Amino acid sequence: MVGAIASGQIAEYIGRKGSLMIAAIPNIIGWLAISFAKDASFLYMGRLLEGFGVGIISYTVPVYIAEIAPQNLRGALGSVNQLSVTIGIMLAYLLGLFVQWRILAVLGILPCVVLIPGLFFIPESPRWLAKMGMTEDFEASLQVLRGFDTDISLEVNEIKRAVASTSRRTTIRFAELKRRRFWLPLMIGIGLLFLQQLSGINGVLFYSSTIFASAGVSNSNVATFGLGAIQVIATGVTTWLADKAGRRILLIASSSGMTVSLLLVAVSFFVQDIVSQESTLYNILGILSIIGVVGMVVAFSLGMGPIPWIIMSEILPVNIKSLAGSVATLANWLVAFVVTMTANLLLNWSSGGTFTIYMIVCAFSIAFTTIWVPETKGRTLEEIQSSFR
């Protein structure tokens, strides 16, 4: 959450690449603290540093991707962010089956070490350079991204027009957020990232071994790895669908699928509580609850996982992106914290009741998307942001 608060200002003042370099440093130190921990205080310190780094990365990466991607590929490339997250989760599940946790923490350093030199070989966001008044650098960056044989004059003029009304370091007062062109995209961005986490996905993923064990699965750790692999495949499908089906329809389909899946899990656990553990019905209900959990993760990966981050990076106006993006990212991690801290308590209270709560949130997500979320497929960032005026 602290990283989320700082992310917008850091990305605004030193650029998207610079903020990613800064984020890599606490990640490396954090993993080292965990790897060589002498007591629990080292683990807490390591996790705090990791959290700070991830808070910055989770805002900066989708914004950077949205700002460099051509409009016909923005959804697919934006989905790659979430695909990479799911691959990381799956690898952590897989490696966790074979290596001790200290070794796993050492391995966590490797992507951070690769990130820093890798950033020297990629261009800075042309839209950020344009906003900072670096006209030559902005055009050079855009030319590199689009290819040296591509005519970029139309895109250059569009970006110049979009940033012409904003000064080099524009700051927006909170009072100005009352204007519709500001509050509406901010509300949509916060709402989607808020609902993404309130759906309980982190509670399910972090405690999947416990959930599978309570459903009667003998090797719950292997089942958890299988869940991670399914999530990667489903998110991979989204990278193909995002620019074909559209963001809005994927969100509605994803929320609907999660609602149905969570209903199946909730009913299965409620009925399991009242039937004998020796009965055939108990075993069938266990299988149904597993199918429901897998269905929830697949449905989440098809829309509610990647799409909120894509839409947040697309709809926020350039002169409030740092403030609004930080607020939206903070909302996401705040709810992630609450869900993670309460998931185990809720599961111990009532597995069926826990999944019923998550189901109600997903049902609300359908209504929220239908009423408020615009379709952004096939439109430039400038067109999307001007539509809120």
Side-chain angles (χ1 to χ4, degrees):
M1 287 186 282
V2 174
I5 294 167
S7 61
Q9 291 303 309
I10 293 173
E12 184 71 10
Y13 284 96
I14 66 171
R16 311 330 186 193
K17 287 172 59 178
S19 62
L20 290 174
M21 285 185 185
I22 284 177
I25 295 168
N27 279 339
I28 291 170
I29 298 170
W31 282 126
L32 287 171
I34 293 169
S35 306
F36 301 102
K38 302 293 183 185
D39 54 44
S41 64
F42 282 81
L43 299 180
Y44 284 122
M45 182 178 73
R47 289 181 73 95
L48 284 168
L49 289 166
E50 289 296 321
F52 181 75
V54 170
I56 296 172
I57 289 169
S58 60
Y59 164 77
T60 308
V61 169
V63 167
Y64 176 78
I65 291 172
E67 290 180 346
I68 67 168
Q71 66 187 61
N72 62 321
L73 290 175
R74 204 170 54 238
L77 294 176
S79 298
V80 167
N81 177 39
Q82 184 67 18
L83 176 63
S84 303
V85 171
T86 60
I87 291 171
I89 292 169
M90 182 188 72
L91 287 174
Y93 286 157
L94 176 62
L95 292 169
L97 294 172
F98 303 105
V99 302
Q100 194 240 7
W101 63 268
R102 289 184 189 272
I103 304 298
L104 191 61
V106 171
L107 294 173
I109 298 170
L110 298 179
C112 311
V113 172
V114 171
L115 178 63
I116 295 175
L119 287 166
F120 287 101
F121 295 95
I122 63 173
E124 181 56 90
S125 161
R127 285 177 170 84
W128 178 79
L129 291 169
K131 189 189 172 190
M132 293 286 106
M134 304 177 193
T135 306
E136 290 184 8
D137 292 336
F138 141 59
E139 292 184 18
S141 173
L142 191 61
Q143 192 72 70
V144 169
L145 287 163
R146 299 294 178 260
F148 292 105
D149 298 327
T150 305
D151 181 7
I152 61 169
S153 56
L154 282 175
E155 194 171 359
V156 165
N157 290 332
E158 197 168 51
I159 294 171
K160 281 181 177 178
R161 279 197 303 271
V163 300
S165 60
T166 62
S167 64
R168 188 169 180 271
R169 296 192 187 277
T170 302
T171 55
I172 295 290
R173 294 190 298 271
F174 275 97
E176 292 184 70
L177 294 179
K178 294 176 182 177
R179 295 160 64 184
R180 184 183 187 276
R181 61 175 294 201
F182 295 145
W183 71 256
L184 184 56
L186 179 57
M187 183 272 291
I188 293 168
I190 290 176
L192 284 174
L193 290 173
F194 192 89
L195 291 168
Q196 180 200 62
Q197 293 296 337
L198 210 58
S199 69
I201 188 64
N202 276 338
V204 171
L205 291 176
F206 294 163
Y207 293 99
S208 52
S209 291
T210 305
I211 294 165
F212 284 137
S214 63
V217 177
S218 56
N219 198 332
S220 56
N221 286 332
V222 173
T224 297
F225 165 70
L227 189 66
I230 290 167
Q231 190 180 17
V232 170
I233 295 167
T235 309
V237 172
T238 308
T239 63
W240 175 70
L241 284 174
D243 288 311
K244 292 180 172 61
R247 290 34 154 182
R248 204 163 169 273
I249 190 67
L250 283 176
L251 281 174
I252 293 170
S254 172
S255 299
S256 301
M258 290 176 73
T259 302
V260 173
S261 299
L262 288 166
L263 176 62
L264 177 62
V265 180
V267 170
S268 298
F269 277 121
F270 275 130
V271 178
Q272 265 191 329
D273 289 339
I274 58 174
V275 300
S276 169
Q277 294 188 15
E278 308 300 322
S279 66
T280 306
L281 178 59
Y282 185 89
N283 294 328
I284 293 171
L285 290 167
I287 294 169
L288 289 175
S289 63
I290 293 166
I291 292 171
V293 168
V294 171
M296 178 209 179
V297 171
V298 169
F300 175 85
S301 302
L302 289 173
M304 282 302 288
I307 302 297
W309 291 108
I310 295 173
I311 290 181
M312 182 275 289
S313 64
E314 290 177 328
I315 65 175
L316 296 178
V318 66
N319 51 336
I320 68 159
K321 186 166 276 187
S322 61
L323 171 63
S326 292
V327 172
T329 308
L330 172 63
N332 183 268
W333 288 115
L334 173 62
V335 181
F337 173 76
V338 172
V339 168
T340 305
M341 291 299 290
T342 59
N344 205 31
L345 294 172
L346 287 170
L347 288 168
N348 288 332
W349 159 67
S350 169
S351 296
T354 302
F355 285 100
T356 300
I357 294 169
Y358 296 158
M359 180 195 70
I360 292 168
V361 173
C362 292
F364 180 77
S365 299
I366 302 170
F368 181 86
T369 303
T370 303
I371 297 168
W372 292 108
V373 179
E375 181 53 72
T376 58
K377 181 188 76 168
R379 301 162 74 188
T380 66
L381 295 182
E382 290 69 35
E383 287 171 344
I384 296 164
Q385 290 157 17
S386 66
S387 69
F388 288 104
R389 294 178 182 176

